[in-house]
């Protein structure tokens, strides 16, 4: 069946159920953004023209909202607790619905069981029952519940699952045996899924799929109006919880010399002691009122927490400049409580790395807060800097629809790919050495693997310098790492073509392979396809990296990906 874009979201609101504060927040958001979604669908429909779109039957099981997993979020919606996840789930539901797919939404174990056809009351069903869904979107909590209650079906159907995973899961943590042997074991990883089945909030590592969310969009008239109405001395502090302000007196003091400081910190009856008296605290605002506040403000300022939320994108979309602190040394699961136990080694160099790296100046200023002069100079400069409201395409409704459409139509983790081509058995590599003799390009006359996605002709292979990860190596060349291309590079032939002088070649399980070790001139091939990883580096190795091009403002998709 062909999927048909939907323009009326009222049935989706019914599907989302009711009762919990979290669902109420999500439904309000969906309602508010309806016009924006519908317009985006029209634009995408036009762009895709006659492209066939399969209608999928989709189950969305929001595990963290189930009572069975403790649902610590819902009671905190109105008390300054995290809202980013709810923003994202609301947008995922809207996107799937607008794209025209068949949708079921569950937020309890009972509903999950009844939708899966598992008889209630039984802990787990030992039989494989046919799964009535082509796709299941869930989170780590939901994954655990499905494993417990689906019996043998879980193994059979787990390739249909997509895990919404804010911070990402790197391949080294995902592979159970490898993680256990090499100290990558956490509370979350070890599911042996294809790493692309994990979908993140921001494009952290391309080993996972970038899901994202949307921000409210402005039309030209609104943009002009906002630009004219900005108070150049008004600042809003990022963070709904009072604890964020603790120990920040010095910065607040400096900021207060130049600007009127506003906050949206939740409080019960009296001002939280962490928030100084000179701050105008509005309390936690409903989302539309928060947007209105951002429209008037010049500066949105972060004090280091929360990490990587939606609010800075909303601020920038509403014409604010975002000022944040650089982290030196970077925060990671090795040195920071918040990231501890998360299945990633990613190093976070500022409060919002996406804002820093994908948006940057003039919208985003990342400075060393320990240096008071630098901090003060930034504030002064920001007050006289003119910026236009800006929202990257991938965070618009159209961008999100386009991306999810491409994933749904092209990502297939159920049809097993052949074993990674290796060593002498590898097929003749279809690459030629680029004229500048540093990277490999797909030979124009080579036959394309039909149906492969992303299409292999977008591949550009680079040999990284020692100690550099493939994520960074590709970015260095204006490209993005594409893990699904690793099998094409995992051969002696690829090393040969890159004129790497291998004295010997070995095949092992290591998430940094294929790679070349300078001392000893040894070449290493990857033995376990699940361990192909863009992330990761070691000064011992020069990694062989599969890179590809990407669309401007849509890093998840290559030029020929639609
Ligand atoms: N937000 C809100 N009221 C406020 C402040 C923020 O509704 O007073 C919303 C904001 O619009 C954003 C969401 O909270 O979409 C999550 O923002 P944040 O970046 O703080 O991420 P979190 O830590 O909550 O996941």
């Amino acid at each position: 069946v062909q999927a048909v874009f939907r323009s009326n979201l009222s049935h989706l609101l019914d599907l989302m159920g009711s009762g919990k504060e979290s669902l109420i927040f999500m439904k309000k958001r969906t309602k508010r953004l309806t016009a924006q979604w519908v317009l985006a669908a029209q634009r995408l429909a036009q762009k895709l023209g006659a492209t066939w779109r399969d209608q999928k039957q989709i189950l969305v099981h929001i595990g963290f909202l189930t009572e069975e997993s403790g649902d610590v979020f819902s009671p905190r919606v109105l008390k300054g607790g995290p809202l980013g996840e709810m923003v994202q789930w609301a947008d995922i539901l809207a996107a799937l619905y607008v794209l025209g797919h068949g949708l079921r939404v569950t937020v309890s174990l009972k509903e999950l069981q009844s939708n899966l056809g598992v008889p209630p009351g039984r802990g787990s069903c030992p039989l494989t029952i046919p799964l009535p869904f082509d796709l299941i979107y869930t989170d780590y909590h939901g994954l655990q519940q499905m494993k417990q209650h689906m019996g043998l079906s879980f193994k059979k159907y787990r390739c249909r699952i997509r895990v919404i995973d804010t911070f990402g899961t790197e391949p080294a943590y995902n592979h159970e045996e490898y993680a256990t042997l090499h100290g990558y074991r956490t509370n979350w990883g070890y599911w042996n899924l294809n790493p692309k089945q994990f979908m993140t909030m921001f494009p952290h590592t391309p080993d996972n799929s970038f899901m994202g969310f949307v921000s409210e969009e402005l039309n030209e008239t609104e943009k002009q109006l906002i630009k004219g109405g900005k108070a150049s001395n008004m600042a809003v502090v990022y963070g709904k919880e009072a604890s964020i302000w603790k120990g920040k007196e010095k910065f607040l003091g400096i900021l207060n010399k130049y600007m009127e400081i506003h906050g949206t910190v939740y409080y019960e009856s009296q001002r939280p002691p962490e928030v100084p008296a000179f701050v105008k605290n509005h309390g936690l605002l409903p989302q539309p009122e928060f947007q209105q506040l951002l429209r008037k403000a010049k500066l949105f300022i972060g004090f280091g927490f929360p990490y990587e939320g939606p609010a800075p994108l909303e601020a920038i979309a509403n014409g604010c400049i975002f000022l944040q602190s650089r982290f030196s040394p970077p925060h990671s699961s090795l040195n920071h409580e918040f990231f501890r136990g998360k299945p990633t080694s990613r190093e976070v160099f500022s409060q919002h790395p996406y804002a820093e790296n994908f948006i940057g100046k003039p919208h985003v200023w990342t400075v060393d807060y320990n240096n008071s002069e630098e901090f003060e100079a930034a504030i002064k400069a920001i007050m006289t800097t003119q910026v236009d409201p800006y929202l990257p395409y991938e965070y618009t409704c159209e961008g999100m629809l386009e991306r999810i459409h491409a994933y749904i139509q092209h990502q297939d983790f159920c049809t097993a790919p052949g074993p990674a081509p290796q060593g002498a058995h590898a097929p003749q590599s279809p690459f030629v050495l680029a004229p500048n003799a540093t990277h490999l390009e797909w030979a124009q006359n080579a036959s394309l693997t039909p149906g492969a996605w992303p299409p292999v002709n977008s591949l550009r292979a680079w040999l990284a310098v020692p100690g550099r990860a493939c994520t960074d190596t590709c970015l260095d060349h204006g490209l993005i790492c594409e893990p699904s291309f690793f099998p094409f590079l995992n051969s002696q032939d690829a090393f040969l073509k890159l004129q790497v002088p291998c004295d010997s070649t070995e095949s092992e399980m290591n998430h940094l392979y294929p790679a070349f070790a300078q001392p000893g001139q040894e070449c290493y091939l990857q033995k376990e396809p699940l361990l192909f990883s863009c992330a990761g580096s070691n000064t011992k190795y020069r990694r062989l990296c599969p890179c590809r091009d990407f669309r401007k403002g849509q890093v998840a998709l290559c030029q020929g990906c639609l």
Side-chain angles (χ1 to χ4, degrees):
V1 187
Q2 161 99 290
V4 179
F5 284 104
R6 293 195 182 98
S7 57
N8 182 342
L9 275 69
S10 56
H11 178 57
L12 171 62
L13 296 173
D14 295 339
L15 283 176
M16 288 166 78
S18 57
K20 289 173 183 285
E21 281 305 335
S22 44
L23 295 174
I24 295 171
F25 173 87
M26 288 163 63
K27 286 168 79 167
K28 274 192 199 153
R29 176 175 175 83
T30 305
K31 225 186 234 167
R32 199 169 63 249
L33 295 184
T34 295
Q36 196 173 307
W37 282 114
V38 171
L39 192 64
Q42 286 166 359
R43 292 203 191 116
L44 182 62
Q46 210 153 40
K47 192 168 176 178
L48 294 179
T51 311
W52 174 271
R53 296 189 304 114
D54 264 341
Q55 189 193 42
K56 306 283 185 186
Q57 294 308 317
I58 300 178
L59 172 67
V60 177
H61 176 61
I62 312 177
F64 80 101
L65 292 184
T66 63
E67 297 302 324
E68 290 79 6
S69 78
D71 188 14
V72 290
F73 281 69
S74 299
R76 295 178 62 208
V77 166
L78 298 176
K79 299 192 168 183
L83 296 174
E85 278 80 0
M86 280 156 237
V87 164
Q88 191 184 27
W89 279 107
D91 295 349
I92 292 169
L93 286 171
L96 295 173
Y97 189 79
V98 166
L99 284 170
H101 298 292
L103 209 56
R104 284 294 177 84
V105 187
T106 58
V107 289
S108 76
L109 192 56
K110 218 170 102 191
E111 294 169 299
L112 172 69
Q113 287 175 315
S114 92
N115 274 286
L116 291 175
V118 177
R122 305 238 324 243
S124 143
C125 178
L127 306 167
T128 42
I129 19 177
L131 185 70
F133 299 103
D134 304 304
L135 283 167
I136 300 178
Y137 290 79
T138 189
D139 53 14
Y140 266 124
H141 295 284
L143 195 59
Q144 188 69 48
Q145 292 170 347
M146 284 178 209
K147 188 184 169 169
Q148 264 165 24
H149 297 276
M150 280 171 77
L152 294 176
S153 307
F154 181 76
K155 221 181 158 126
K156 182 168 174 200
Y157 293 121
R158 65 180 181 179
C159 59
R160 299 190 191 179
I161 297 177
R162 306 291 180 266
V163 184
I164 304 303
D165 168 17
T166 310
F167 295 92
T169 298
E170 291 177 2
Y173 295 80
N174 170 59
H175 189 273
E176 182 171 20
E177 183 192 339
Y178 187 75
T180 309
L181 284 173
H182 297 92
Y184 294 107
R185 212 170 160 96
T186 61
N187 293 336
W188 304 103
Y190 66 86
W191 285 89
N192 291 320
L193 298 179
N194 183 315
K196 282 270 183 201
Q197 287 175 264
F198 296 99
M199 305 187 125
T200 56
M201 190 128 171
F202 289 94
H204 302 311
T205 163
D207 294 309
N208 303 139
S209 300
F210 161 49
M211 170 56 81
F213 57 94
V214 303
S215 179
E216 284 169 59
E217 291 163 53
L218 305 171
N219 62 32
E220 280 312 312
T221 329
E222 286 169 322
K223 278 187 194 167
Q224 288 313 319
L225 220 68
I226 285 173
K227 270 182 82 179
K230 284 271 174 203
S232 66
N233 65 343
M234 177 175 166
V236 175
V237 174
Y238 182 13
K240 308 182 242 39
E241 277 182 278
S243 60
I244 290 156
W245 299 64
K246 213 179 271 164
K248 308 293 183 233
E249 298 81 6
K250 197 171 105 195
F251 310 121
L252 289 165
I254 297 174
L255 182 59
N256 190 44
K257 289 203 291 185
Y258 302 94
M259 301 183 93
E260 182 184 286
I261 308 175
H262 294 246
T264 61
V265 183
Y266 168 75
Y267 63 94
E268 229 132 67
S269 53
Q270 62 206 35
R271 168 181 290 272
E274 295 89 343
V275 180
F278 55 73
V279 172
K280 191 168 171 10
N281 185 26
H282 301 262
L284 182 72
L285 292 176
Q287 230 181 3
E289 285 172 43
F290 179 62
Q291 305 282 330
Q292 291 306 323
L293 188 70
L294 293 173
R295 286 178 186 202
K296 287 184 259 159
K298 177 75 190 171
L299 172 67
F300 190 61
I301 180 168
F303 284 127
F305 197 84
Y307 297 104
E308 308 184 299
L313 289 191
E314 294 168 0
I316 297 160
N318 283 299
C320 297
I321 289 178
F322 177 50
L323 176 63
Q324 62 167 350
S325 60
R326 170 167 296 128
F327 296 156
S328 176
H331 298 182
S332 74
S333 51
L334 294 179
N335 66 8
H336 260 256
E337 203 41 54
F338 180 83
F339 289 107
R340 201 178 306 273
K342 295 207 162 55
T344 170
S345 304
R346 189 166 60 98
E347 293 187 303
V348 176
F349 287 85
S350 60
Q351 184 174 1
H352 205 294
Y354 179 86
E356 181 185 1
N357 301 321
F358 286 74
I359 303 178
K361 274 193 176 167
H363 307 277
V364 180
W365 297 47
T366 306
V367 309
D368 176 8
Y369 279 26
N370 290 325
N371 181 337
S372 304
E373 281 101 67
E374 195 183 331
F375 178 72
E376 190 159 348
I379 291 168
K380 283 200 260 184
I382 286 168
M383 290 177 73
T384 58
T385 302
Q386 290 298 318
V387 294
D388 286 327
Y390 174 67
L391 181 62
Y393 179 72
E394 54 205 1
Y395 284 97
T396 64
C397 290
E398 187 186 334
M400 185 164 179
L401 287 176
E402 179 184 88
R403 189 167 60 246
I404 298 191
H405 149 74
Y407 291 155
I408 289 180
Q409 302 303 320
H410 298 290
Q411 285 186 332
D412 175 7
F413 307 114
C414 293
T415 321
Q422 283 173 12
H425 307 294
Q428 189 65 5
S429 136
F431 299 103
V432 292
L433 198 59
N436 60 5
T438 47
H439 70 280
L440 291 174
E441 278 178 13
W442 182 268
Q444 284 305 318
N445 58 357
S447 59
L448 290 174
T449 318
W453 195 85
V456 193
N457 60 356
S458 62
L459 167 54
R460 301 284 176 278
W462 285 88
L463 190 65
V465 297
R468 196 120 179 103
C470 285
T471 43
D472 299 324
T473 300
C474 293
L475 289 174
D476 292 344
H477 298 288
L479 300 165
I480 190 92
C481 180
E482 178 50 67
S484 60
F485 292 160
F486 268 115
F488 297 104
L489 301 185
N490 198 37
S491 70
Q492 267 178 324
D493 189 51
F495 278 107
L496 201 70
K497 287 263 166 64
L498 271 171
Q499 300 177 348
V500 179
C502 307
D503 269 359
S504 62
T505 307
E506 268 183 66
S507 181
E508 283 173 17
M509 255 173 47
N510 185 322
H511 69 289
L512 303 178
Y513 295 171
F516 171 64
Q518 216 115 33
Q521 310 272 61
E522 195 145 5
C523 290
Y524 293 100
L525 300 179
Q526 177 62 263
K527 207 170 171 179
E528 168 54 64
L530 272 183
L531 281 175
F532 283 130
S533 174
C534 293
S537 66
N538 186 313
T539 46
K540 241 173 83 183
Y541 300 116
R542 298 190 64 183
R543 304 191 55 196
L544 188 44
C545 302
C547 311
R548 65 159 166 81
D549 59 47
F550 57 90
R551 290 165 173 260
K552 197 168 171 284
Q554 182 74 288
V555 74
L557 302 180
C558 67
Q559 296 295 346
C561 270
L562 270 187

